Amino acid sequence: MSAASCQLTEDQFLCSICLDVFTDPVSTPCGHNFCKACITQHWNVNVPDQCPNCKKLFYTRPELQINTFISEMAAQFRQAAQQEASSSSSEPQAAKPREVPCDGCTGTKLKALKSCLVCLESYCETHLEPHLTRPGLKRHQLMDPVENLEGWMCLKHNKPLELFCQTDQTFVCMLCTVLDHKNHNVVPLEEEYEGKKAEMKKTEAETKEMIQKRRLKIQELKHSVQLSEEQSAREIAGGVQVLTALKESVERSQAKLILTIKEKHRNTEKQAEGFIQELEQEICELEKRSTEVKQLSRSEDHLHLLQSLRTLKAAPPTKNWTGVRVRPPSYEGTVMRAVQQLEETLSNQMKKLFEGELKRVQRSAVDVTLDPDSANPYLILSDDGKQVKLGDVQKNLPDNPERFDTSVIVLAKQSFSSGRSYYEVQVEGKTKWDLGVVRESINRKGRITLSPQEGFWMIWLRNENEYYALVDPPVRLSLRSRPQKVGVLVDYEEGLVSFYDVDAAALIDSFTGCCFTEKLFPYFWSMSYL
């Protein structure tokens, strides 16, 4: 099929609506042809129905039938066009916008395959052949096609930039190495390229590793948030349960208090009502007698009065009310007793709460042993590293940097630098003891100041029943009972150090809002450790 006939056929078989080759062509009464879908959609959108070409108006939409002749012709045209396209696809393709065009092509610029740094031109497959066959051109330096070949030439010596000066970090030609860059560290461009490529590969690997670490950190943080959410839900549920129970206890105590007071008042009211009823009965009898006497006394008949007196009823018996009293009940101590009972209930609830908290804390238990390298020479450690006591004689020990020389202190071997850690210390029978945690860099020589500012978070016992939290100045603690076993919890990220009376399931004291930046070591003095 010739180009002219192909063009003619294409014009004849284009739908004037979609401007593409007919699909299911139909003819209107006015003789124009359209794709069935195109003309149907056109009439559905545009009112009234008329021919898009000649504008002939149809008062009744025509019934459209497929034009089989045009349909067959359109199919033949598509087949011929596809064959022509496939036969022309093997011909050399013109350079696309982002491809380097051949400098040797005079008509259509074909895609270049190589660039010559000597000729400063790029060539397609046809025009590249002389550089591959002629001896004089074989010596030219070829490279992958690039635009702006002048940028690959030394402006000073008009030679290819084949080398790289690592001293000046610039591209140079062969003449530059013996003139301006003499004695410089110069390497071939390919070598520098490979080196930089290796560096970039290493950087890419390092970057990927950094990305992976950060993704893992994101997962870790999300997991921490999830754990926090679960823990907060448990704490809220537990707290609501405890506080609801406390609220119900208060309401029951209040109701019981009101009932007790009202019962006392009702008893008093009932007693008074009984007395009042008796008094009113006596008054009624007395009033009757008074009326009879009054009526008799008005009689002027001497005989009748005297005779009536004989038959007059005797005065009704009456009660001596002089000593009768209704005393208001004493409410003194009623409220106090109710509060005491409520306090006992609250104390039991608090104990249950702390028992639950202590059980959760004890899940973070760690094994701790004493470090002999840190122990003051007066301290005596057990062989298993679980007990320490104060001796009478100073042992001859090496004065290493970890050892306390004047303060009778010993630290544990284990340290805490993340998460939650818990351990327990047996202090039963001890009249003096210190315990807590310290940071690694504390002063271990000479006089030591025990305070959080100096890296000590601890409590101690003095004079058998005087407990103190070591802040500046120390704060005396009020404890209901003497602890026999003390639990120590360290939450590194939370900045928390808490002390528990294990047997009483009670919180002794807490250091909160601490900022930990170093390892923390358990601290002991004069005690047995479990």
Side-chain angles (χ1 to χ4, degrees), residues 358 362 422-429 433 435 459 467 479 481-488 499-506 508 528-530:
L358 188 58
Q362 288 173 333
Y422 173 82
Y423 59 93
E424 294 180 351
V425 181
Q426 187 74 36
V427 295
E428 182 179 3
W433 49 258
L435 60 93
I459 60 174
Y467 298 89
L479 306 184
S481 59
R482 294 189 62 179
Q484 305 299 307
K485 185 188 295 183
V486 178
V488 183
F499 301 88
Y500 296 89
D501 184 337
V502 177
D503 297 323
I508 298 175
S528 298
Y529 167 68
L530 295 179

PDB file of all heavy atoms in Angstrom, residues 358 362 422-429 433 435 459 467 479 481-488 499-506 508 528-530:
ATOM      1  N   LEU A 358       3.704  -4.557  93.965  1.00  0.00           N
ATOM      2  CA  LEU A 358       4.967  -5.188  94.311  1.00  0.00           C
ATOM      3  C   LEU A 358       5.181  -6.461  93.495  1.00  0.00           C
ATOM      4  O   LEU A 358       6.308  -6.756  93.062  1.00  0.00           O
ATOM      5  CB  LEU A 358       4.998  -5.493  95.808  1.00  0.00           C
ATOM      6  CG  LEU A 358       6.330  -5.995  96.379  1.00  0.00           C
ATOM      7  CD1 LEU A 358       7.434  -4.985  96.116  1.00  0.00           C
ATOM      8  CD2 LEU A 358       6.211  -6.270  97.868  1.00  0.00           C
ATOM      9  N   GLN A 362       8.332  -7.072  91.138  1.00  0.00           N
ATOM     10  CA  GLN A 362       9.232  -8.207  91.361  1.00  0.00           C
ATOM     11  C   GLN A 362       9.495  -9.014  90.091  1.00  0.00           C
ATOM     12  O   GLN A 362      10.417  -9.827  90.054  1.00  0.00           O
ATOM     13  CB  GLN A 362       8.656  -9.108  92.456  1.00  0.00           C
ATOM     14  CG  GLN A 362       8.760  -8.468  93.850  1.00  0.00           C
ATOM     15  CD  GLN A 362       8.041  -9.285  94.913  1.00  0.00           C
ATOM     16  OE1 GLN A 362       7.091 -10.007  94.610  1.00  0.00           O
ATOM     17  NE2 GLN A 362       8.476  -9.162  96.154  1.00  0.00           N
ATOM     18  N   TYR A 422      15.111  -4.709  89.685  1.00  0.00           N
ATOM     19  CA  TYR A 422      14.621  -4.790  91.068  1.00  0.00           C
ATOM     20  C   TYR A 422      15.449  -5.816  91.829  1.00  0.00           C
ATOM     21  O   TYR A 422      15.791  -6.883  91.303  1.00  0.00           O
ATOM     22  CB  TYR A 422      13.147  -5.199  91.064  1.00  0.00           C
ATOM     23  CG  TYR A 422      12.568  -5.473  92.437  1.00  0.00           C
ATOM     24  CD1 TYR A 422      12.119  -4.444  93.244  1.00  0.00           C
ATOM     25  CD2 TYR A 422      12.481  -6.787  92.920  1.00  0.00           C
ATOM     26  CE1 TYR A 422      11.589  -4.705  94.497  1.00  0.00           C
ATOM     27  CE2 TYR A 422      11.953  -7.052  94.173  1.00  0.00           C
ATOM     28  CZ  TYR A 422      11.506  -6.005  94.965  1.00  0.00           C
ATOM     29  OH  TYR A 422      10.983  -6.259  96.203  1.00  0.00           O
ATOM     30  N   TYR A 423      15.787  -5.484  93.073  1.00  0.00           N
ATOM     31  CA  TYR A 423      16.473  -6.432  93.940  1.00  0.00           C
ATOM     32  C   TYR A 423      16.019  -6.184  95.372  1.00  0.00           C
ATOM     33  O   TYR A 423      15.463  -5.139  95.701  1.00  0.00           O
ATOM     34  CB  TYR A 423      17.997  -6.307  93.818  1.00  0.00           C
ATOM     35  CG  TYR A 423      18.549  -4.949  94.166  1.00  0.00           C
ATOM     36  CD1 TYR A 423      18.993  -4.651  95.466  1.00  0.00           C
ATOM     37  CD2 TYR A 423      18.632  -3.956  93.208  1.00  0.00           C
ATOM     38  CE1 TYR A 423      19.490  -3.407  95.776  1.00  0.00           C
ATOM     39  CE2 TYR A 423      19.146  -2.710  93.523  1.00  0.00           C
ATOM     40  CZ  TYR A 423      19.570  -2.433  94.804  1.00  0.00           C
ATOM     41  OH  TYR A 423      20.070  -1.195  95.118  1.00  0.00           O
ATOM     42  N   GLU A 424      16.233  -7.190  96.240  1.00  0.00           N
ATOM     43  CA  GLU A 424      15.786  -7.104  97.628  1.00  0.00           C
ATOM     44  C   GLU A 424      16.965  -7.253  98.577  1.00  0.00           C
ATOM     45  O   GLU A 424      17.925  -7.991  98.285  1.00  0.00           O
ATOM     46  CB  GLU A 424      14.739  -8.187  97.913  1.00  0.00           C
ATOM     47  CG  GLU A 424      13.447  -7.960  97.129  1.00  0.00           C
ATOM     48  CD  GLU A 424      12.402  -9.033  97.391  1.00  0.00           C
ATOM     49  OE1 GLU A 424      12.756 -10.051  98.049  1.00  0.00           O
ATOM     50  OE2 GLU A 424      11.240  -8.870  96.947  1.00  0.00           O
ATOM     51  N   VAL A 425      16.866  -6.575  99.723  1.00  0.00           N
ATOM     52  CA  VAL A 425      17.952  -6.567 100.711  1.00  0.00           C
ATOM     53  C   VAL A 425      17.376  -6.946 102.068  1.00  0.00           C
ATOM     54  O   VAL A 425      16.393  -6.355 102.522  1.00  0.00           O
ATOM     55  CB  VAL A 425      18.604  -5.170 100.797  1.00  0.00           C
ATOM     56  CG1 VAL A 425      19.734  -5.181 101.801  1.00  0.00           C
ATOM     57  CG2 VAL A 425      19.086  -4.723  99.432  1.00  0.00           C
ATOM     58  N   GLN A 426      17.981  -7.935 102.733  1.00  0.00           N
ATOM     59  CA  GLN A 426      17.550  -8.369 104.053  1.00  0.00           C
ATOM     60  C   GLN A 426      18.212  -7.469 105.101  1.00  0.00           C
ATOM     61  O   GLN A 426      19.439  -7.414 105.207  1.00  0.00           O
ATOM     62  CB  GLN A 426      17.957  -9.827 104.295  1.00  0.00           C
ATOM     63  CG  GLN A 426      17.407 -10.420 105.566  1.00  0.00           C
ATOM     64  CD  GLN A 426      15.930 -10.726 105.451  1.00  0.00           C
ATOM     65  OE1 GLN A 426      15.469 -11.133 104.394  1.00  0.00           O
ATOM     66  NE2 GLN A 426      15.188 -10.513 106.518  1.00  0.00           N
ATOM     67  N   VAL A 427      17.376  -6.738 105.885  1.00  0.00           N
ATOM     68  CA  VAL A 427      17.915  -5.816 106.896  1.00  0.00           C
ATOM     69  C   VAL A 427      17.447  -6.188 108.291  1.00  0.00           C
ATOM     70  O   VAL A 427      17.602  -5.405 109.231  1.00  0.00           O
ATOM     71  CB  VAL A 427      17.496  -4.362 106.561  1.00  0.00           C
ATOM     72  CG1 VAL A 427      18.133  -3.920 105.256  1.00  0.00           C
ATOM     73  CG2 VAL A 427      15.982  -4.225 106.496  1.00  0.00           C
ATOM     74  N   GLU A 428      16.864  -7.352 108.450  1.00  0.00           N
ATOM     75  CA  GLU A 428      16.346  -7.773 109.761  1.00  0.00           C
ATOM     76  C   GLU A 428      17.473  -7.846 110.785  1.00  0.00           C
ATOM     77  O   GLU A 428      18.542  -8.399 110.531  1.00  0.00           O
ATOM     78  CB  GLU A 428      15.679  -9.152 109.617  1.00  0.00           C
ATOM     79  CG  GLU A 428      15.066  -9.655 110.903  1.00  0.00           C
ATOM     80  CD  GLU A 428      14.408 -11.011 110.714  1.00  0.00           C
ATOM     81  OE1 GLU A 428      14.495 -11.554 109.589  1.00  0.00           O
ATOM     82  OE2 GLU A 428      13.812 -11.518 111.684  1.00  0.00           O
ATOM     83  N   GLY A 429      17.218  -7.265 111.960  1.00  0.00           N
ATOM     84  CA  GLY A 429      18.197  -7.285 113.047  1.00  0.00           C
ATOM     85  C   GLY A 429      19.276  -6.242 112.941  1.00  0.00           C
ATOM     86  O   GLY A 429      20.121  -6.136 113.840  1.00  0.00           O
ATOM     87  N   TRP A 433      21.969   0.885 108.701  1.00  0.00           N
ATOM     88  CA  TRP A 433      22.245   0.418 107.342  1.00  0.00           C
ATOM     89  C   TRP A 433      21.988   1.540 106.352  1.00  0.00           C
ATOM     90  O   TRP A 433      21.224   2.473 106.604  1.00  0.00           O
ATOM     91  CB  TRP A 433      21.441  -0.828 106.976  1.00  0.00           C
ATOM     92  CG  TRP A 433      19.959  -0.788 107.249  1.00  0.00           C
ATOM     93  CD1 TRP A 433      19.303  -1.372 108.288  1.00  0.00           C
ATOM     94  CD2 TRP A 433      18.951  -0.132 106.462  1.00  0.00           C
ATOM     95  NE1 TRP A 433      17.958  -1.137 108.211  1.00  0.00           N
ATOM     96  CE2 TRP A 433      17.707  -0.372 107.091  1.00  0.00           C
ATOM     97  CE3 TRP A 433      18.967   0.623 105.303  1.00  0.00           C
ATOM     98  CZ2 TRP A 433      16.499   0.110 106.603  1.00  0.00           C
ATOM     99  CZ3 TRP A 433      17.766   1.123 104.812  1.00  0.00           C
ATOM    100  CH2 TRP A 433      16.553   0.870 105.448  1.00  0.00           C
ATOM    101  N   LEU A 435      21.308   1.872 101.966  1.00  0.00           N
ATOM    102  CA  LEU A 435      21.144   1.159 100.705  1.00  0.00           C
ATOM    103  C   LEU A 435      20.504   2.073  99.672  1.00  0.00           C
ATOM    104  O   LEU A 435      19.827   3.038 100.002  1.00  0.00           O
ATOM    105  CB  LEU A 435      20.319  -0.127 100.880  1.00  0.00           C
ATOM    106  CG  LEU A 435      18.885   0.001 101.405  1.00  0.00           C
ATOM    107  CD1 LEU A 435      17.899   0.096 100.255  1.00  0.00           C
ATOM    108  CD2 LEU A 435      18.547  -1.200 102.263  1.00  0.00           C
ATOM    109  N   ILE A 459      18.382   5.523 100.984  1.00  0.00           N
ATOM    110  CA  ILE A 459      17.768   5.729 102.298  1.00  0.00           C
ATOM    111  C   ILE A 459      18.668   5.048 103.324  1.00  0.00           C
ATOM    112  O   ILE A 459      19.481   4.188 102.978  1.00  0.00           O
ATOM    113  CB  ILE A 459      16.340   5.155 102.374  1.00  0.00           C
ATOM    114  CG1 ILE A 459      16.347   3.646 102.102  1.00  0.00           C
ATOM    115  CG2 ILE A 459      15.413   5.865 101.385  1.00  0.00           C
ATOM    116  CD1 ILE A 459      14.985   2.986 102.293  1.00  0.00           C
ATOM    117  N   TYR A 467      14.527   6.594 110.216  1.00  0.00           N
ATOM    118  CA  TYR A 467      14.728   6.351 108.789  1.00  0.00           C
ATOM    119  C   TYR A 467      14.774   7.688 108.054  1.00  0.00           C
ATOM    120  O   TYR A 467      13.968   8.591 108.324  1.00  0.00           O
ATOM    121  CB  TYR A 467      13.593   5.489 108.231  1.00  0.00           C
ATOM    122  CG  TYR A 467      13.512   4.115 108.866  1.00  0.00           C
ATOM    123  CD1 TYR A 467      12.741   3.909 110.010  1.00  0.00           C
ATOM    124  CD2 TYR A 467      14.210   3.042 108.336  1.00  0.00           C
ATOM    125  CE1 TYR A 467      12.670   2.661 110.601  1.00  0.00           C
ATOM    126  CE2 TYR A 467      14.139   1.784 108.917  1.00  0.00           C
ATOM    127  CZ  TYR A 467      13.373   1.601 110.051  1.00  0.00           C
ATOM    128  OH  TYR A 467      13.304   0.365 110.632  1.00  0.00           O
ATOM    129  N   LEU A 479       7.454   5.617 109.186  1.00  0.00           N
ATOM    130  CA  LEU A 479       7.070   4.261 108.786  1.00  0.00           C
ATOM    131  C   LEU A 479       6.217   3.630 109.877  1.00  0.00           C
ATOM    132  O   LEU A 479       6.467   3.821 111.075  1.00  0.00           O
ATOM    133  CB  LEU A 479       8.305   3.402 108.533  1.00  0.00           C
ATOM    134  CG  LEU A 479       9.335   3.954 107.539  1.00  0.00           C
ATOM    135  CD1 LEU A 479      10.448   2.945 107.320  1.00  0.00           C
ATOM    136  CD2 LEU A 479       8.668   4.288 106.217  1.00  0.00           C
ATOM    137  N   SER A 481       5.895   0.386 110.394  1.00  0.00           N
ATOM    138  CA  SER A 481       6.575  -0.786 110.940  1.00  0.00           C
ATOM    139  C   SER A 481       8.022  -0.780 110.486  1.00  0.00           C
ATOM    140  O   SER A 481       8.385  -0.097 109.523  1.00  0.00           O
ATOM    141  CB  SER A 481       5.885  -2.076 110.476  1.00  0.00           C
ATOM    142  OG  SER A 481       5.894  -2.156 109.059  1.00  0.00           O
ATOM    143  N   ARG A 482       8.841  -1.527 111.180  1.00  0.00           N
ATOM    144  CA  ARG A 482      10.252  -1.612 110.835  1.00  0.00           C
ATOM    145  C   ARG A 482      10.423  -2.618 109.700  1.00  0.00           C
ATOM    146  O   ARG A 482      10.083  -3.801 109.854  1.00  0.00           O
ATOM    147  CB  ARG A 482      11.075  -2.044 112.039  1.00  0.00           C
ATOM    148  CG  ARG A 482      11.092  -1.043 113.165  1.00  0.00           C
ATOM    149  CD  ARG A 482      12.097  -1.436 114.207  1.00  0.00           C
ATOM    150  NE  ARG A 482      13.448  -1.468 113.655  1.00  0.00           N
ATOM    151  CZ  ARG A 482      14.539  -1.774 114.371  1.00  0.00           C
ATOM    152  NH1 ARG A 482      14.428  -2.075 115.649  1.00  0.00           N
ATOM    153  NH2 ARG A 482      15.720  -1.793 113.796  1.00  0.00           N
ATOM    154  N   PRO A 483      10.942  -2.201 108.571  1.00  0.00           N
ATOM    155  CA  PRO A 483      11.128  -3.138 107.449  1.00  0.00           C
ATOM    156  C   PRO A 483      12.134  -4.226 107.819  1.00  0.00           C
ATOM    157  O   PRO A 483      13.178  -3.957 108.425  1.00  0.00           O
ATOM    158  CB  PRO A 483      11.666  -2.252 106.326  1.00  0.00           C
ATOM    159  CG  PRO A 483      11.309  -0.853 106.724  1.00  0.00           C
ATOM    160  CD  PRO A 483      11.330  -0.829 108.212  1.00  0.00           C
ATOM    161  N   GLN A 484      11.794  -5.462 107.447  1.00  0.00           N
ATOM    162  CA  GLN A 484      12.715  -6.585 107.617  1.00  0.00           C
ATOM    163  C   GLN A 484      13.431  -6.905 106.304  1.00  0.00           C
ATOM    164  O   GLN A 484      14.536  -7.425 106.306  1.00  0.00           O
ATOM    165  CB  GLN A 484      11.941  -7.816 108.092  1.00  0.00           C
ATOM    166  CG  GLN A 484      11.123  -7.592 109.339  1.00  0.00           C
ATOM    167  CD  GLN A 484      11.978  -7.190 110.532  1.00  0.00           C
ATOM    168  OE1 GLN A 484      12.949  -7.857 110.875  1.00  0.00           O
ATOM    169  NE2 GLN A 484      11.624  -6.082 111.167  1.00  0.00           N
ATOM    170  N   LYS A 485      12.775  -6.602 105.225  1.00  0.00           N
ATOM    171  CA  LYS A 485      13.345  -6.807 103.901  1.00  0.00           C
ATOM    172  C   LYS A 485      12.940  -5.611 103.040  1.00  0.00           C
ATOM    173  O   LYS A 485      11.763  -5.265 102.971  1.00  0.00           O
ATOM    174  CB  LYS A 485      12.848  -8.103 103.279  1.00  0.00           C
ATOM    175  CG  LYS A 485      13.499  -8.452 101.946  1.00  0.00           C
ATOM    176  CD  LYS A 485      12.827  -9.646 101.298  1.00  0.00           C
ATOM    177  CE  LYS A 485      13.002 -10.908 102.117  1.00  0.00           C
ATOM    178  NZ  LYS A 485      12.398 -12.090 101.437  1.00  0.00           N
ATOM    179  N   VAL A 486      13.920  -4.988 102.386  1.00  0.00           N
ATOM    180  CA  VAL A 486      13.672  -3.790 101.578  1.00  0.00           C
ATOM    181  C   VAL A 486      13.884  -4.128 100.108  1.00  0.00           C
ATOM    182  O   VAL A 486      14.921  -4.696  99.734  1.00  0.00           O
ATOM    183  CB  VAL A 486      14.599  -2.633 101.993  1.00  0.00           C
ATOM    184  CG1 VAL A 486      14.364  -1.410 101.093  1.00  0.00           C
ATOM    185  CG2 VAL A 486      14.361  -2.254 103.448  1.00  0.00           C
ATOM    186  N   GLY A 487      12.902  -3.808  99.274  1.00  0.00           N
ATOM    187  CA  GLY A 487      13.022  -3.967  97.832  1.00  0.00           C
ATOM    188  C   GLY A 487      13.396  -2.638  97.187  1.00  0.00           C
ATOM    189  O   GLY A 487      12.890  -1.583  97.581  1.00  0.00           O
ATOM    190  N   VAL A 488      14.277  -2.686  96.203  1.00  0.00           N
ATOM    191  CA  VAL A 488      14.735  -1.478  95.508  1.00  0.00           C
ATOM    192  C   VAL A 488      14.416  -1.634  94.018  1.00  0.00           C
ATOM    193  O   VAL A 488      14.840  -2.605  93.386  1.00  0.00           O
ATOM    194  CB  VAL A 488      16.248  -1.241  95.695  1.00  0.00           C
ATOM    195  CG1 VAL A 488      16.665   0.070  95.018  1.00  0.00           C
ATOM    196  CG2 VAL A 488      16.603  -1.218  97.174  1.00  0.00           C
ATOM    197  N   PHE A 499      11.734   2.483  97.007  1.00  0.00           N
ATOM    198  CA  PHE A 499      12.081   1.551  98.073  1.00  0.00           C
ATOM    199  C   PHE A 499      10.787   1.006  98.671  1.00  0.00           C
ATOM    200  O   PHE A 499       9.860   1.768  98.978  1.00  0.00           O
ATOM    201  CB  PHE A 499      12.913   2.252  99.153  1.00  0.00           C
ATOM    202  CG  PHE A 499      14.195   2.850  98.638  1.00  0.00           C
ATOM    203  CD1 PHE A 499      14.219   4.143  98.129  1.00  0.00           C
ATOM    204  CD2 PHE A 499      15.375   2.126  98.649  1.00  0.00           C
ATOM    205  CE1 PHE A 499      15.388   4.707  97.655  1.00  0.00           C
ATOM    206  CE2 PHE A 499      16.556   2.671  98.163  1.00  0.00           C
ATOM    207  CZ  PHE A 499      16.565   3.973  97.672  1.00  0.00           C
ATOM    208  N   TYR A 500      10.719  -0.327  98.852  1.00  0.00           N
ATOM    209  CA  TYR A 500       9.510  -0.987  99.328  1.00  0.00           C
ATOM    210  C   TYR A 500       9.791  -1.772 100.598  1.00  0.00           C
ATOM    211  O   TYR A 500      10.863  -2.384 100.745  1.00  0.00           O
ATOM    212  CB  TYR A 500       8.968  -1.957  98.271  1.00  0.00           C
ATOM    213  CG  TYR A 500       8.518  -1.297  97.001  1.00  0.00           C
ATOM    214  CD1 TYR A 500       9.411  -1.090  95.947  1.00  0.00           C
ATOM    215  CD2 TYR A 500       7.202  -0.898  96.832  1.00  0.00           C
ATOM    216  CE1 TYR A 500       9.003  -0.495  94.763  1.00  0.00           C
ATOM    217  CE2 TYR A 500       6.782  -0.291  95.651  1.00  0.00           C
ATOM    218  CZ  TYR A 500       7.689  -0.098  94.629  1.00  0.00           C
ATOM    219  OH  TYR A 500       7.279   0.499  93.462  1.00  0.00           O
ATOM    220  N   ASP A 501       8.814  -1.754 101.525  1.00  0.00           N
ATOM    221  CA  ASP A 501       8.800  -2.691 102.646  1.00  0.00           C
ATOM    222  C   ASP A 501       8.146  -3.956 102.119  1.00  0.00           C
ATOM    223  O   ASP A 501       6.924  -4.012 101.924  1.00  0.00           O
ATOM    224  CB  ASP A 501       8.005  -2.111 103.815  1.00  0.00           C
ATOM    225  CG  ASP A 501       8.037  -2.998 105.041  1.00  0.00           C
ATOM    226  OD1 ASP A 501       8.281  -4.215 104.889  1.00  0.00           O
ATOM    227  OD2 ASP A 501       7.800  -2.495 106.157  1.00  0.00           O
ATOM    228  N   VAL A 502       8.943  -4.992 101.847  1.00  0.00           N
ATOM    229  CA  VAL A 502       8.450  -6.176 101.148  1.00  0.00           C
ATOM    230  C   VAL A 502       7.380  -6.896 101.953  1.00  0.00           C
ATOM    231  O   VAL A 502       6.320  -7.267 101.429  1.00  0.00           O
ATOM    232  CB  VAL A 502       9.615  -7.130 100.806  1.00  0.00           C
ATOM    233  CG1 VAL A 502       9.100  -8.399 100.149  1.00  0.00           C
ATOM    234  CG2 VAL A 502      10.617  -6.428  99.900  1.00  0.00           C
ATOM    235  N   ASP A 503       7.633  -7.109 103.253  1.00  0.00           N
ATOM    236  CA  ASP A 503       6.682  -7.880 104.077  1.00  0.00           C
ATOM    237  C   ASP A 503       5.375  -7.119 104.276  1.00  0.00           C
ATOM    238  O   ASP A 503       4.299  -7.716 104.272  1.00  0.00           O
ATOM    239  CB  ASP A 503       7.317  -8.203 105.435  1.00  0.00           C
ATOM    240  CG  ASP A 503       8.556  -9.084 105.284  1.00  0.00           C
ATOM    241  OD1 ASP A 503       8.531  -9.962 104.395  1.00  0.00           O
ATOM    242  OD2 ASP A 503       9.531  -8.890 106.031  1.00  0.00           O
ATOM    243  N   ALA A 504       5.463  -5.813 104.463  1.00  0.00           N
ATOM    244  CA  ALA A 504       4.252  -5.005 104.663  1.00  0.00           C
ATOM    245  C   ALA A 504       3.600  -4.610 103.349  1.00  0.00           C
ATOM    246  O   ALA A 504       2.505  -4.036 103.350  1.00  0.00           O
ATOM    247  CB  ALA A 504       4.595  -3.745 105.466  1.00  0.00           C
ATOM    248  N   ALA A 505       4.258  -4.910 102.229  1.00  0.00           N
ATOM    249  CA  ALA A 505       3.753  -4.525 100.897  1.00  0.00           C
ATOM    250  C   ALA A 505       3.409  -3.041 100.881  1.00  0.00           C
ATOM    251  O   ALA A 505       2.308  -2.634 100.493  1.00  0.00           O
ATOM    252  CB  ALA A 505       2.550  -5.368 100.505  1.00  0.00           C
ATOM    253  N   ALA A 506       4.379  -2.224 101.325  1.00  0.00           N
ATOM    254  CA  ALA A 506       4.151  -0.781 101.404  1.00  0.00           C
ATOM    255  C   ALA A 506       5.317  -0.042 100.763  1.00  0.00           C
ATOM    256  O   ALA A 506       6.461  -0.518 100.776  1.00  0.00           O
ATOM    257  CB  ALA A 506       3.995  -0.344 102.860  1.00  0.00           C
ATOM    258  N   ILE A 508       8.027   2.711 100.814  1.00  0.00           N
ATOM    259  CA  ILE A 508       8.754   3.486 101.828  1.00  0.00           C
ATOM    260  C   ILE A 508       8.995   4.901 101.329  1.00  0.00           C
ATOM    261  O   ILE A 508       8.621   5.878 101.986  1.00  0.00           O
ATOM    262  CB  ILE A 508      10.094   2.801 102.174  1.00  0.00           C
ATOM    263  CG1 ILE A 508       9.842   1.410 102.772  1.00  0.00           C
ATOM    264  CG2 ILE A 508      10.900   3.656 103.139  1.00  0.00           C
ATOM    265  CD1 ILE A 508      11.107   0.609 103.037  1.00  0.00           C
ATOM    266  N   SER A 528      22.899  -7.787 105.386  1.00  0.00           N
ATOM    267  CA  SER A 528      22.913  -9.051 104.664  1.00  0.00           C
ATOM    268  C   SER A 528      22.049  -8.886 103.437  1.00  0.00           C
ATOM    269  O   SER A 528      20.937  -8.360 103.524  1.00  0.00           O
ATOM    270  CB  SER A 528      22.376 -10.181 105.543  1.00  0.00           C
ATOM    271  OG  SER A 528      23.191 -10.346 106.675  1.00  0.00           O
ATOM    272  N   TYR A 529      22.514  -9.361 102.327  1.00  0.00           N
ATOM    273  CA  TYR A 529      21.799  -9.169 101.063  1.00  0.00           C
ATOM    274  C   TYR A 529      21.276 -10.504 100.549  1.00  0.00           C
ATOM    275  O   TYR A 529      21.957 -11.509 100.597  1.00  0.00           O
ATOM    276  CB  TYR A 529      22.743  -8.553 100.028  1.00  0.00           C
ATOM    277  CG  TYR A 529      22.202  -8.611  98.634  1.00  0.00           C
ATOM    278  CD1 TYR A 529      21.100  -7.852  98.264  1.00  0.00           C
ATOM    279  CD2 TYR A 529      22.767  -9.470  97.703  1.00  0.00           C
ATOM    280  CE1 TYR A 529      20.595  -7.928  96.990  1.00  0.00           C
ATOM    281  CE2 TYR A 529      22.266  -9.550  96.422  1.00  0.00           C
ATOM    282  CZ  TYR A 529      21.183  -8.783  96.077  1.00  0.00           C
ATOM    283  OH  TYR A 529      20.672  -8.864  94.816  1.00  0.00           O
ATOM    284  N   LEU A 530      20.019 -10.490 100.106  1.00  0.00           N
ATOM    285  CA  LEU A 530      19.406 -11.700  99.547  1.00  0.00           C
ATOM    286  C   LEU A 530      19.162 -11.503  98.073  1.00  0.00           C
ATOM    287  O   LEU A 530      18.603 -10.494  97.705  1.00  0.00           O
ATOM    288  CB  LEU A 530      18.076 -11.997 100.253  1.00  0.00           C
ATOM    289  CG  LEU A 530      18.190 -12.357 101.747  1.00  0.00           C
ATOM    290  CD1 LEU A 530      16.796 -12.601 102.295  1.00  0.00           C
ATOM    291  CD2 LEU A 530      19.049 -13.584 101.947  1.00  0.00           C
TER     292      LEU A 530
END
